[in-house]
Amino acid sequence: MTVEEGTRAVAPTRAAQELELRRDEFQLAVQLGLVRTVPGVAPGAPRPGAAGAPSGRRRVERAEIDRLRAAPDFPDGLRDRVRTVGTTEAAELLSVTPDRFTKLARTGHFSPVRFYLNRYRAVVWLYLAGELGEFALTRQTLLTGRLPREIRERIDGGEDRRPRNWRARRLGLLLRASEDPWVRAAAIASLLDPVQLAEIVDDPYERTHLDRLRPEPPSGRPGSVTSREIADRMMLADDPDEILWHRMSLALALDEARADRQAPRPDGGIGAIVARPPRPTTLPRPTTRRTRRSLLDRLRRRKTATAPATAGEQAAPVA
């Protein structure tokens, strides 16, 4: 980003103020693609896109702010598109009982856009009000009368697709937010636990790179250790089909990332990274260790050649 480009972009806090959005509303607007951002550059960092180049906080160009403010329904229209509601308010919007709404949400008819933990450490799901309105227009038959048998059976079986649908939605937003193949692979990798990840990515340097590019956790992450553990579990795939899907997706994403460029690896300097050379069959060893090993091998061969063999004994073969 040039100096001229930097003057045409503002920080997220300033952009939220000018768009008359709260912080959480602005973050959601960015995630949904309603507000376009551009990469920032951390002071002294390499240019964006360079191997291992950390980017600064994303910024919003002045032209994007002007475009949104010029809308005839600004600011109410933008606020409506990022308005979220919980179960009680969602049920009121659809004119159904909270119990019926919960059953429809658990069977995957609504995809949560966010969640938080209340004071009892229970998960509270949030939904986009606009999407609920669209559902009311297109699926009216599910809002009145008895629920279909297939839905009732899934509820009786304990189905709850809300966590999985939230993860899928978040992943989709992360993938659309970047064209960098390694960043996209890191988004998929963030849904797998360390054991699953190690089985797909056997190179420790690649795992380190993916972890470095791991997306930030959702805003409003709880402060207590127990609450954080609950929130962290919510971000990991737990259904066998879901895990298999993400494992396959990660394998394909890694192929694309490796074809684009190799993951960085240490070059011996503290904190320094360089573009990774073609992957060898084994990790290279320092020259000093190879020299010492060669010397020991020569001494062993010399001792074996000069030592007399006793009856019934044979000298061990030299590797």
Side-chain angles (χ1 to χ4, degrees):
M1 179 184 294
T2 65
V3 175
E4 181 181 0
E5 289 173 334
T7 60
R8 294 203 304 264
V10 301
T13 302
R14 175 68 179 274
Q17 293 174 349
E18 296 197 27
L19 295 175
E20 302 183 31
L21 296 174
R22 299 193 308 268
R23 179 182 177 184
D24 59 329
E25 292 175 334
F26 176 79
Q27 291 174 341
L28 183 56
V30 171
Q31 293 171 7
L32 297 175
L34 301 176
V35 177
R36 296 189 294 261
T37 62
V38 294
V41 178
R47 61 178 178 83
S55 62
R57 295 182 64 188
R58 297 184 69 87
R59 300 168 67 85
V60 182
E61 291 184 329
R62 174 61 56 185
E64 176 69 358
I65 296 177
D66 294 341
R67 179 185 71 84
L68 294 167
R69 290 181 61 89
D73 60 351
F74 179 83
D76 295 336
L78 184 57
R79 287 177 183 156
D80 288 341
R81 282 178 281 175
V82 295
R83 179 189 171 197
T84 58
V85 294
T87 298
T88 301
E89 192 173 358
E92 293 176 355
L93 287 175
L94 298 178
S95 299
V96 298
T97 64
D99 179 68
R100 188 184 189 96
F101 177 84
T102 299
K103 289 178 179 179
L104 290 173
R106 288 182 59 184
T107 50
H109 290 84
F110 310 115
S111 293
V113 71
R114 276 186 173 173
F115 76 88
Y116 69 91
L117 300 180
N118 62 17
R119 60 179 178 174
Y120 305 107
R121 295 174 181 168
V123 177
V124 179
W125 297 104
L126 298 177
Y127 307 84
L128 285 175
E131 291 184 353
L132 300 179
E134 295 176 1
F135 184 91
L137 295 175
T138 58
R139 306 292 299 276
Q140 185 64 37
T141 56
L142 290 177
L143 302 180
T144 58
R146 194 178 187 189
L147 288 173
R149 178 180 177 180
E150 181 262 344
I151 293 180
R152 298 197 309 270
E153 290 178 348
R154 289 162 62 185
I155 289 295
D156 293 340
E159 179 175 316
D160 188 354
R161 295 185 63 88
R162 289 174 296 180
R164 179 173 180 173
N165 283 355
W166 173 79
R167 287 189 291 267
R169 179 169 204 153
R170 181 170 183 263
L171 177 60
L173 295 174
L174 291 171
L175 294 178
R176 286 195 295 270
S178 178
E179 296 295 330
D180 186 292
W182 279 103
V183 173
R184 293 166 62 87
I188 302 173
S190 68
L191 298 175
L192 298 173
D193 63 42
V195 175
Q196 298 282 345
L197 183 60
E199 292 178 356
I200 302 298
V201 190
D202 58 353
D203 189 317
Y205 295 106
E206 291 183 342
R207 290 200 301 274
T208 298
H209 192 46
L210 292 174
D211 185 67
R212 183 170 175 268
L213 298 175
R214 177 182 292 269
E216 292 293 327
S219 60
R221 195 161 180 254
S224 70
V225 175
T226 303
S227 297
R228 280 202 304 271
E229 290 176 351
I230 296 174
D232 289 344
R233 286 199 300 269
M234 296 295 296
M235 289 185 280
L236 294 178
D238 56 6
D239 182 85
D241 291 339
E242 181 188 12
I243 292 173
L244 178 59
W245 175 261
H246 292 315
R247 285 171 62 103
M248 296 172 59
S249 299
L250 178 58
L252 294 174
L254 282 174
D255 288 341
E256 295 181 5
R258 291 162 179 158
D260 181 76
R261 66 182 185 276
Q262 296 297 307
R265 63 169 60 229
D267 66 349
I270 299 178
I273 52 177
V274 295
R276 180 183 171 189
R279 183 178 177 183
T281 55
T282 58
L283 293 179
R285 297 177 179 176
T287 305
T288 54
R289 290 187 62 186
R290 287 201 301 266
T291 302
R292 182 177 297 177
R293 178 63 180 271
S294 299
L295 177 60
L296 291 176
D297 289 343
R298 289 199 301 272
L299 290 175
R300 290 192 184 99
R301 287 196 294 268
R302 184 181 304 171
K303 183 177 180 180
T304 302
T306 57
T310 58
E313 293 182 344
Q314 291 182 340
V318 180

